[in-house]
Amino acid sequence: MPIQNPFQDPLRFERRVPECVVVIFGANGDLTKRKLVPALYRLAYDRRLSAGFAVVGISRTAMSDDEFREKMLDSVKRFSEDTKFDSDVWDAFAGGLFYIAGDIGDKDLYERLAKRLAEIETSRRTGGNVMFYLSTQPSQYASISSGLGSAGLGKGDGWRRLVVEKPFGHNLESARELSDRLHEVFAESDVYRIDHYLGKETVQNILAFRFGNGIFEPLWNRRYVNHVQITAAESIGVEGRGAYYQEAGALADMIQNHLLQVMATIAMEPSASFRATSVRDERSKLLRSIRSMTPDEIRQNTVPGQYGPARIGGQEVPGFRQEPGVDPGSQTDTYAAATFFVDNWRWAGVPFYVRTGKRLPKRVTEIAIQFNQAPLRIFENGDGASAPNLLIVRIQPEEGISLKFLSKTPGSGMKLRPVSMDFNYGSSFGERSPSAYETLLLDAIIGDATLYTRQDMVEASWTVVEPIQEVWRNTKYNFSNYAAGTWGPAASDDMLAQRGHVWRKP
Amino acid sequence: MSTTISPDRILKELAELWVTTSKEGAGDAAAGVLRACSMTLVVLAEESDDLQALGETVAALMPEHPARAIVVKLIGGQERALSERVYQQCWMPFGQRRQICCEQIELTASDASLEDLPSVVLPLTVPDLPVILWCRTSRILSMPGFYRIAAMARKVIVDSYGAADPEAATLRMSVVSRSGVLLGDLSWTRLTRWREMLSQVFENQEYLARLQNIRKVRVGAEEGLAVAARLMGVWIRNALSAAGIQTELEVTPAAPGGPSLRVELSGEGIGVELVREEDRLVITVNGLSNCTNLSRPTDYLLMREELAIVRHDPVFDRTLESAAALVYPSDK
């Protein structure tokens, strides 16, 4: 019997998913409505899904299959960005949507799920392939995994995969404990920890930019790079998620996962191939090379912040402590900045400044690589004659890459000024970019884990972040220390100033 | 009409156009002109071609394949005649304030002046980027100057749809391909969705297990799709043969009033049929039918796919070679 399909033509054919069922726990939640189902619909619209593809939604709310379909139809219409609604595509897609109501702690739920999966497998010929997507409270991950295991759903005729959303634990110990619990049912190679930042086109483009071109990599080291700044700024506040956010904070919510992953992508060594194991090994190695700090170093190299009330654009904006559901004496960080050092030959001595915060002046995520000055300054008569070269990778909102360099000002005399050469991802190619969830869902169904986080990466990140959390938790800060709509606390500027650097204003 | 063209003058005109466009946008501080380019696209079209529609197709291709487009209008005739016109196409991507502009150069050439074409076109191509030649007229392949023109290009795209003599067209393409020209045929591009759907059938393990039982491959096509039908049949036969399955191939004209293209694979316990029904592709496997949208591919969609592949397509090359061997088994 031939094992492989002889009609495959990867040069021409789009990547398509094998027959499978996606089981979403938390199907009545925001993520399912806003991101997951619209992304799956878009994949169906692009004809990436197989004819028998099916989704089983699970949540506590009582609903029939048809009611679930109605609900998801509404979500697709509301949240599908730049996708035309096509009723034929929807009808075919909706035919594969099913729903089961039940309590995650109830054994009976998993038995009903097993029965439903068997029926779907027969009617839609899904080959026994099932992907379980946990879009629930993180505290429920372990019990869902155990429930699946007890019902024998961790194994089957086809493949079984488990996708989990961050946070992966709230410290190193809990991250390990969670992994151990998941591994009782699923092998590590079948666990897909999703970090939607890694699914963004520009984050993937970092790999293309660094390892597809020969001219940048020789400059990508301590000899030429002065320092790196990674900024993930949000202009909004906690938007009704005050109670959740109070437990997490900016450091755990953003730096521990997204920004350390981005930093790893920027700083990792070239991998030997573009296979998942290779790329993830290098990313993991980099994370393990980030220097852990002593409490004194933490006080010197990290800054927590919390926004206070302000007037922005003629409107009064509450401070974090005034947000609904937030403790008026909360010590939660809505801003976090840190200076990291990577202990390897490539990056020894190069500071990586990472910051993130809510209620900053604008929504922007970018990486700025500042290069060393020219060794001899022979042009001193221009305003910008000493401006350093900057390579800026913009992740959102306008994905692209800019290179800033000096140019002669037109006219007589030798005056220099900085100019920017822009590559705008969206407008250089008129093509629509897939959303991060489209990319990541497709990858997980195909079985490509390159853009997913592995257990050792999670642990390495917590090893870096946990001591910072510890020091911050044991210190009483005089919050609020920055006004909403500003670029964060003054202490953050001081952190860079001690090395003669300043934060960019993106 | 002038009989000589100065590439330097055309390039100067282009540069002036950029300066003018930038100045026009200077009033708005955030506005500007982005100049994107990933290739030079040279289009050879007959005077009788719908040049307005062609212009629209080229414009539609620009957002995904920004290029300097050089459209050569062939006017026939034995008198040496060449002329040119230079213009820009700009657009504002949705939600962006900057406009993106691409350049277009239109040349008019008589048959007699085709020999002069490379000397004019080569200096106009964008340095260091691939040149793609899109021949919208099949007669160019048999003209004496074709190989000189083809030599400028990284890839030559032709369209064998409606070829008056499909066998001769297949053979000619095979000869061109064997001469080292990287060739693409839009008849092959038209088959991508069909091939993809057939491949998708065998993503199902149950059907894949029965693949070895296939003994017969039958392709029926309307007259205009004769080359495509051969390519489709040969591709299926080659793929099965690579999996150790020997089949009998039959390529026939479509029945009057029947579907424009029909593909059937049959054997013990397996029957697969793909049929176009208006704007739908109906796939029937062992009696179970499924249909998917399949609108008639426009030149824009076909070119969009071809321009994304600026390298050898080994599956097409192999298929073309086998299709030519089927036409003239002794031709080697």
Side-chain angles (χ1 to χ4, degrees), chain B residues 211-323:
Chain B
L211 189 78
Q212 59 193 341
N213 298 344
I214 295 173
R215 290 291 170 267
K216 188 151 191 168
V217 177
R218 216 181 302 169
V219 184
E222 65 177 30
E223 207 178 353
L225 290 169
V227 176
R230 262 194 195 86
L231 293 173
M232 184 75 184
V234 167
W235 170 70
I236 297 170
R237 196 188 58 179
N238 283 357
L240 290 170
S241 170
I245 303 156
Q246 300 311 317
T247 50
E248 185 193 323
L249 171 64
E250 192 183 308
V251 181
T252 55
S260 56
L261 188 61
R262 176 196 294 271
V263 179
E264 288 173 75
L265 287 75
S266 55
E268 195 188 329
I270 181 91
V272 181
E273 186 190 53
L274 284 82
V275 181
R276 174 184 273 287
E277 282 181 6
E278 293 176 348
D279 275 355
R280 284 173 188 275
L281 176 62
V282 180
I283 306 130
T284 308
V285 186
N286 288 353
L288 285 174
S289 288
N290 179 25
C291 70
T292 176
N293 290 340
L294 184 72
S295 47
R296 307 262 168 194
T298 58
D299 280 350
Y300 157 68
L301 288 172
L302 297 171
M303 282 300 289
R304 181 173 173 246
E305 181 179 327
E306 279 307 315
L307 292 181
I309 304 169
V310 188
R311 48 175 282 202
H312 271 288
D313 175 350
V315 179
F316 171 64
D317 292 349
R318 248 191 333 265
T319 306
L320 180 61
E321 191 64 17
S322 302

Side-chain angles (χ1 to χ4, degrees), chain B residues 4 19 21 24 32 41 45 87 92-93 107 111 124 162 173 179 184 193 204 211 218 225 237-238 319 330-332:
Chain B
T4 57
V19 173
T21 315
E24 280 167 6
L41 176 63
Y87 56 100
M92 312 274 277
L107 304 176
D111 282 4
L124 294 176
M173 286 194 298
S179 74
R193 285 290 312 285
N204 184 306
L211 189 78
R218 216 181 302 169
L225 290 169
R237 196 188 58 179
N238 283 357
T319 306
S330 59
D331 179 73
K332 281 283 160 193

Side-chain angles (χ1 to χ4, degrees), chain A residues 5 8 12 16 427 430-431, chain B residues 63 100 199-200 203 306 313:
Chain A
N5 179 353
Q8 280 294 355
R12 299 261 174 182
R16 293 174 70 98
S427 57
E431 184 79 327
Chain B
I100 306 178
S199 172
Q200 188 61 24
E203 285 298 301
E306 279 307 315
D313 175 350

Side-chain angles (χ1 to χ4, degrees), chain A residues 5-81:
Chain A
N5 179 353
F7 297 115
Q8 280 294 355
D9 184 354
L11 184 66
R12 299 261 174 182
F13 300 171
E14 296 281 8
R15 289 194 313 163
R16 293 174 70 98
V17 304
E19 306 283 355
C20 74
V21 186
V22 174
V23 178
I24 302 174
F25 285 88
N28 202 26
D30 244 20
L31 184 73
T32 305
K33 284 188 256 183
R34 286 172 182 269
K35 300 287 181 188
L36 300 182
V37 171
L40 289 171
Y41 166 75
R42 177 68 204 203
L43 291 174
Y45 183 88
D46 288 341
R47 300 187 179 86
R48 302 288 185 93
L49 302 181
S50 57
F53 181 83
V55 175
V56 178
I58 295 176
S59 83
R60 271 190 301 196
T61 315
M63 249 189 290
S64 66
D65 286 345
D66 282 340
E67 284 166 333
F68 180 59
R69 286 170 191 150
E70 274 304 306
K71 212 162 196 171
M72 293 304 111
L73 172 63
D74 183 50
S75 301
V76 164
K77 283 182 174 169
R78 275 180 69 196
F79 300 115
S80 284
E81 293 162 16

Side-chain angles (χ1 to χ4, degrees), chain A residues 423-448:
Chain A
F423 163 76
N424 188 309
Y425 206 75
S427 57
S428 292
F429 301 104
E431 184 79 327
R432 168 193 179 273
S433 295
S435 74
Y437 276 96
E438 284 165 48
T439 304
L440 293 168
L441 283 166
L442 195 67
D443 280 359
I445 299 171
I446 288 169
D448 179 355

